[in-house]
Amino acid sequence: MNLVALIDYGSGNVHSAAGALNEAARRTDIAVEVAITDDLATIARADRIILPGVGHYGDCAANLHARPGLVDALETAVLNEGRPFLGICVGMQLLADFGLEDGETRGLGWIHGVVDRIDPGPGLRVPHVGWNELALPRRHALLTGLGDQPHAYFTHSYAFTPEQPSDIAATTTYGTPFTSAVARGNIFGTQFHPEMSQRVGLQLLANFLQWQP
């Protein structure tokens, strides 16, 4: 059984993500148990870990650090033991060194970079909400099978700019380009919401459930 720890720290749309994971598993005939949890023992035995996130960067970071031992448990599982990890939306942004949405707020620092407000230019609204195309500058296991000109669903005002261009797995243009996915080793993150991205999102989640980094 593939145990996925979907981290519940009061800052993510966990039930929607759980539903999409179960549907992705059903479509690909993968045996999966999705545990919505902040329990340290469950995280320690999980095969895969997902960190969702919606809302303000500062609030999400504060909620994550407020759970005793949670960050240490995640770092042990992901950084030390190499468990496959997926960050979604603000869950991806928290991979950065810090975010600027609520002043300067410390992130996890797993992928060096900064989260700052998008600046799409004249005539385009912030937040960026809706469907947009993913440009895939590099091959990655989680991005296979998405089809030609894949589109995903976004809702955000801030975006993560990694320090190293090699950590960028996908970009999207909304007036100007921004990073829409990051990847390093066993760590992957999406600015878009796979659980709201229909076929493309379900394919990415199915890829994650089978990923052996």
Side-chain angles (χ1 to χ4, degrees):
M1 180 66 71
N2 203 342
L3 175 60
V4 180
L6 181 56
I7 306 302
D8 183 8
Y9 61 113
S11 297
N13 189 3
V14 290
H15 295 289
S16 176
L21 280 164
N22 283 316
E23 177 62 15
R26 185 192 66 80
R27 292 188 179 197
T28 50
D29 198 26
I30 299 170
V32 64
E33 177 188 350
V34 179
I36 298 174
T37 186
D38 64 354
D39 177 67
L40 305 186
T42 302
I43 294 167
R45 63 185 180 86
D47 300 294
R48 301 168 193 281
I49 295 170
I50 297 180
L51 183 68
V54 294
H56 285 258
Y57 184 101
D59 292 341
C60 290
N63 286 346
L64 189 65
H65 286 282
R67 263 53 174 191
L70 180 55
V71 171
D72 288 341
L74 292 174
E75 290 184 344
T76 296
V78 178
L79 302 184
N80 298 343
E81 299 176 357
R83 312 280 178 81
F85 173 91
L86 174 63
I88 297 175
C89 198
V90 182
M92 164 185 150
Q93 295 178 3
L94 289 171
L95 297 171
D97 294 307
F98 58 91
L100 302 177
E101 185 168 2
D102 303 284
E104 186 174 311
T105 304
R106 178 171 60 95
L108 294 170
W110 295 359
I111 295 179
H112 295 308
V114 61
V115 175
D116 204 353
R117 186 175 173 85
I118 60 173
D119 183 14
L124 293 174
R125 294 182 177 180
V126 178
H128 169 215
V129 177
W131 293 86
N132 211 330
E133 184 176 348
L134 307 177
L136 310 178
R138 56 180 279 200
R139 292 188 177 187
H140 192 282
L142 266 68
L143 301 174
T144 59
L146 302 190
D148 296 332
Q149 299 179 317
H151 283 64
Y153 189 84
F154 293 84
T155 174
H156 66 116
S157 301
Y158 286 73
F160 178 16
T161 301
E163 188 175 284
Q164 298 295 326
S166 59
D167 292 329
I168 299 172
T171 62
T172 294
T173 298
Y174 182 62
T176 57
F178 65 87
T179 300
S180 49
V182 296
R184 173 182 286 187
N186 60 306
I187 298 169
F188 197 89
T190 64
Q191 182 59 65
F192 57 92
H193 286 271
E195 76 278 12
M196 300 173 69
S197 296
Q198 298 179 10
R199 187 197 64 80
V200 165
L202 289 174
Q203 181 63 56
L204 186 145
L205 292 175
N207 292 341
F208 176 71
L209 292 174
Q210 302 170 85
W211 185 31
Q212 299 294 335

